[in-house]
């Protein structure tokens, strides 16, 4: 079978849904007012932003709409939370931060920056499945800990972290808890009150909203310092004229994302399971990365010995399959994935990884096509690979590509 195009990179971005686009269009054309203006056109825009704030707060289980701050995306929300919490902690002599070694670079690089400003950061390791525990956090907590920041779902391997347990622990110990939930909204049931989450980051383009819009939930009573100065927007915390159309789209998208999560994800999980099992059964010397039980529904991360990930992606693209070798934010890097090496993979095996992420628009026919194209593509690349030939010679592997 031949298909024109299969999109299997939903963890990188998603296409805007029809309902989101329909909701946005009036605010791009007729209703173009500045929300800070006091005349009717501006006031209508301000009402639209307020409604989107309410929808986002309801989707997260927040107690008040005012706990939601709109940003330009997940990375900005992470920066606002981590830097802001660090500054708050420093005022009372708390200059210690706890995170994991598999966070998104928006958190890791922010923590590294804070280390240059006199903060101490503990990077908790994960096991060979990409999982960690609240016990690890408890053992790392100190009197001067200002913040614990642990992602809800890993963006590369899809593993689910125990954020409710961590939130409960942090609340009991009086330590702020932030979670990067960019890959979790619409995948997991998230309730910031029940899960004792103080701050939560999300991104619109992972939810069928446009790129360039996100949000940060901040629990009432936490007075984060401003990240961007220059105006009174977002209650003085984030200067700059609001992107009304994108914010409206985010409100629509996040509402849809948290509706009927279970049946939607059951369908995607069934496709994911068939895809994962089909890959490892059809391609020798392949391995699934991450835990298959504690994992979001659409993620398959697999490594192939003797294959370069970049060559594999280009070969799949020629056949109309869009995938990635990890986070889209590091696609230009020549270094192996920090997530996969944290699991114990060699640099060579980590560089031979493929991330396939299925979403709402994928079908069983898409899975069929990937399972048709991927095995023959890996076999062809191995046939041409000096690395694969070396592995076969050194380890006495029967080279199936010569059959």
């Amino acid at each position: 079978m031949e298909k024109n195009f299969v999109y299997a990179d939903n963890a990188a971005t998603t296409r805007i849904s029809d309902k989101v686009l329909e909701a946005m269009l009036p605010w791009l054309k007729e209703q173009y007012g500045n929300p800070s203006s006091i005349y009717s056109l501006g006031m209508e825009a301000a009402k639209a932003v307020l409604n989107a704030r309410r929808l986002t707060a309801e989707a997260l289980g927040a107690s008040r709409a005012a706990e939601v701050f709109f940003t330009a995306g997940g990375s900005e929300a992470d920066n606002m939370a981590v830097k802001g919490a660090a500054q708050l902690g420093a005022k009372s002599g708390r200059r210690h931060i706890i995170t994991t070694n598999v966070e998104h670079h928006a958190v890791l690089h922010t923590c590294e920056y804070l280390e240059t400003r006199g903060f101490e950061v503990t990077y908790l390791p994960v096991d060979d499945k990409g999982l960690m525990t609240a016990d690890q956090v408890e053992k790392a907590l100190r009197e001067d800990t200002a913040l614990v920041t642990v992602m809800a779902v890993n963006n590369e391997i899809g593993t689910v972290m125990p954020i409710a347990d961590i939130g409960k622990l942090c609340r009991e110990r009086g330590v702020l808890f932030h979670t990067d939930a960019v890959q979790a909204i619409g995948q997991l049931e998230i309730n910031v009150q029940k899960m004792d989450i103080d701050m939560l980051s999300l991104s619109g383009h992972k939810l069928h909203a446009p790129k360039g819009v996100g949000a940060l939930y901040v629990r009432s009573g936490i007075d984060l310092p401003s990240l961007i100065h220059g105006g009174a927007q977002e209650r003085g915390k984030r200067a700059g004229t609001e992107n009304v159309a994108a914010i409206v789209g985010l409100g629509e998208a996040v509402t849809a994302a948290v509706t009927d999560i279970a049946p939607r994800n059951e369908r995607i999980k069934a496709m994911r399971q068939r895809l994962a099992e089909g890959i490892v059964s059809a391609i020798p010397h392949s391995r699934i990365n991450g835990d298959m039980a504690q994992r979001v529904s659409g993620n398959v991360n697999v490594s192939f010995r003797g294959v370069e990930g970049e060559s594999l992606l280009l070969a799949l693209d020629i056949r109309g399959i869009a995938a990635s070798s990890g986070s889209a934010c590091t696609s230009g890097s020549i270094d192996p994935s920090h997530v996969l090496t944290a699991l114990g993979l060699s640099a060579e095996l980590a560089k031979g990884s493929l991330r396939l992420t299925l979403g709402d628009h994928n079908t069983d026919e898409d899975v069929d096509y990937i399972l048709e194209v991927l095995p023959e593509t890996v076999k062809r690349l191995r046939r041409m690979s000096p690395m694969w030939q070396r592995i076969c010679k050194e380890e006495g592997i029967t080279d199936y590509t010569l059959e």
Side-chain angles (χ1 to χ4, degrees):
M1 85 190 246
E2 190 71 30
K3 290 177 68 72
N4 292 326
F5 183 63
V6 172
Y7 185 73
D9 201 17
N10 287 276
T13 197
T14 58
R15 76 188 196 199
I16 295 180
S17 73
D18 292 341
K19 288 188 67 175
V20 167
L21 181 60
E22 183 180 351
M24 290 174 60
L25 283 175
W27 308 98
L28 289 167
K29 299 179 70 176
E30 297 88 0
Q31 299 290 341
Y32 52 83
N34 187 319
S36 297
S37 302
I38 62 172
Y39 44 76
S40 298
L41 196 65
M43 292 177 67
E44 288 301 313
K47 290 179 183 177
V49 171
L50 179 60
N51 184 58
R53 199 184 310 279
R54 178 184 59 79
L55 291 173
T56 305
E58 289 176 355
L60 298 176
S63 61
R64 300 173 59 227
E67 294 176 316
V68 172
F69 296 85
F70 292 117
T71 67
S75 292
E76 183 189 319
D78 284 342
N79 273 258
M80 185 174 175
V82 175
K83 290 177 181 175
Q87 291 180 55
L88 286 179
K91 291 180 180 179
S92 57
R94 295 186 172 196
R95 304 184 70 86
H96 177 234
I97 297 168
I98 298 172
T99 189
T100 77
N101 61 356
V102 294
E103 296 296 307
H104 189 279
H105 281 122
V107 169
L108 288 180
H109 289 173
T110 302
C111 287
E112 290 166 6
Y113 163 79
L114 289 170
E115 286 182 292
T116 69
R117 295 297 186 269
F119 290 85
E120 185 179 348
V121 181
T122 297
Y123 298 93
L124 299 176
V126 295
D127 64 16
D128 60 356
K129 297 294 186 182
L131 301 172
M132 50 84 67
T133 67
D135 287 341
Q136 289 176 265
V137 175
E138 184 171 23
K139 292 175 182 176
L141 283 171
R142 305 185 331 201
E143 290 297 322
D144 64 338
T145 302
L147 172 71
V148 173
T149 174
V150 175
M151 66 195 333
V153 172
N154 186 269
N155 54 300
E156 292 193 30
I157 58 176
T159 46
V160 178
M161 300 302 192
I163 56 172
D165 294 339
I166 297 171
K168 182 175 184 293
L169 171 66
C170 290
R171 186 63 56 85
E172 290 171 351
R173 297 287 290 271
V175 176
L176 291 180
F177 174 52
H178 163 255
T179 186
D180 177 337
V182 165
Q183 298 287 343
I185 306 301
Q187 303 282 340
L188 307 175
E189 298 282 353
I190 298 289
N191 185 297
V192 291
Q193 294 188 80
K194 293 179 180 178
M195 302 172 89
D196 294 316
I197 297 170
D198 295 310
M199 294 176 288
L200 177 148
S201 305
L202 63 88
S203 180
H205 74 106
K206 312 295 186 179
L207 309 170
H208 302 291
K211 301 169 186 66
V213 66
L216 177 67
Y217 158 80
V218 182
R219 181 172 56 83
S220 295
I222 301 172
D223 188 19
L224 288 184
S226 302
L227 182 66
I228 300 175
H229 299 86
Q233 293 89 354
E234 295 304 293
R235 298 178 301 291
K237 300 300 183 185
R238 201 266 186 188
T241 302
E242 297 91 342
N243 185 347
V244 178
I247 288 171
V248 168
L250 177 61
E252 181 73 30
V254 74
T255 300
V258 301
T259 303
D260 298 325
I261 289 179
R264 188 173 71 246
N265 282 331
E266 279 303 310
R267 184 187 75 86
I268 296 171
K269 182 179 179 181
M271 291 192 295
R272 187 279 309 276
Q273 201 68 18
R274 188 162 68 87
L275 179 60
E277 292 172 358
I279 290 172
V280 296
S281 64
I283 305 176
H285 305 285
S286 60
R287 57 160 282 169
I288 300 294
N289 300 312
D291 188 87
M292 287 302 291
Q294 296 186 57
R295 191 188 198 103
V296 289
S297 61
N299 180 290
V300 176
N301 189 301
V302 58
S303 290
F304 306 101
R305 299 197 68 190
V307 175
E308 286 285 349
E310 186 173 350
S311 299
L312 179 57
L313 293 180
L314 293 173
L316 291 176
D317 183 49
I318 290 172
R319 296 293 298 276
I321 298 173
S324 73
S325 58
S327 170
C329 302
T330 57
S331 60
S333 173
I334 61 173
D335 296 325
S337 159
H338 72 286
V339 174
L340 297 183
T341 54
L343 270 58
L345 272 68
S346 66
E348 183 177 271
L349 192 54
K351 286 184 176 180
S353 68
L354 175 70
R355 183 185 69 175
L356 298 161
T357 45
L358 307 177
D360 294 333
H361 297 107
N362 288 113
T363 64
D364 287 324
E365 288 73 23
D366 292 341
V367 174
D368 292 338
Y369 185 61
I370 295 171
L371 289 176
E372 174 189 327
V373 171
L374 184 57
E376 64 185 44
T377 302
V378 171
K379 187 173 186 178
R380 179 170 58 83
L381 291 175
R382 280 176 170 168
R383 190 179 297 127
M384 299 183 295
S385 169
M387 177 171 56
W388 174 246
Q389 295 169 17
R390 172 180 58 78
I391 291 171
C392 290
K393 182 178 180 180
E394 291 177 352
E395 301 184 18
I397 296 174
T398 301
D399 189 353
Y400 79 106
T401 69
L402 301 178
E403 298 172 358

